[in-house]
Amino acid sequence: MTERTHHDQWLDEEAGPLVPAYALTRGRVLPANKAIDLVAIVTATGGPTPVSLGPEQWMILSLCARATPLADIAAAIDLPLGVVRVLVGDLHEQGLVQVRPPASVSQLPSASILTEVIHGLRAL
């Protein structure tokens, strides 16, 4: 078994140099807008995009041409959810994406309605 050098641990034979995920966010673990939830829906605004974006942010923008859940974005670009959350936060700060919560599910019936249904079923 050969000992790996420091340089070798960041080199993949097929993919080339590897970049640790935290380097993509410059060490940040929270997005600028902390309201970005893991189930948030992200949509590109279609506005002018600066050329200074990284390749991961370009991928996010292309995926978000249609409304896309944050978790699906992370899966599609094969990055941890936390990293994608920070990158989407950066895009949101620049006005390049809109972030909204998922459509809310209708409210559950109240306990009194459920009790009435149970009594009705028992009466059958």
Side-chain angles (χ1 to χ4, degrees):
M1 185 168 171
T2 61
E3 187 176 315
R4 293 183 72 158
T5 65
H6 177 70
H7 173 54
D8 290 341
Q9 74 181 359
W10 299 114
L11 183 66
D12 182 282
E13 294 292 328
E14 294 175 25
L18 301 175
V19 176
Y22 63 83
L24 298 173
T25 63
R26 296 180 300 278
R28 296 171 297 144
V29 294
L30 292 175
N33 180 352
K34 292 182 179 81
I36 298 176
D37 194 1
L38 298 179
V39 293
I41 305 298
V42 184
T43 309
T45 60
T49 53
V51 292
S52 61
L53 295 178
E56 295 79 15
Q57 289 173 314
W58 282 107
M59 286 189 279
I60 291 169
L61 285 176
S62 68
L63 286 168
C64 296
R66 296 179 53 178
T68 308
L70 187 75
D72 289 357
I73 296 168
I77 64 175
D78 198 27
L79 284 175
L81 272 168
V83 170
V84 173
R85 193 171 167 219
V86 171
L87 295 175
V88 166
D90 292 346
L91 293 170
H92 184 257
E93 287 288 309
Q94 296 175 53
L96 300 174
V97 296
Q98 293 177 339
V99 180
R100 65 172 175 80
S104 60
V105 179
S106 62
Q107 280 190 316
L108 297 174
S110 67
S112 63
I113 291 177
L114 292 175
T115 303
E116 288 180 37
V117 169
I118 291 172
H119 290 309
L121 290 172
R122 284 184 181 153
L124 293 176

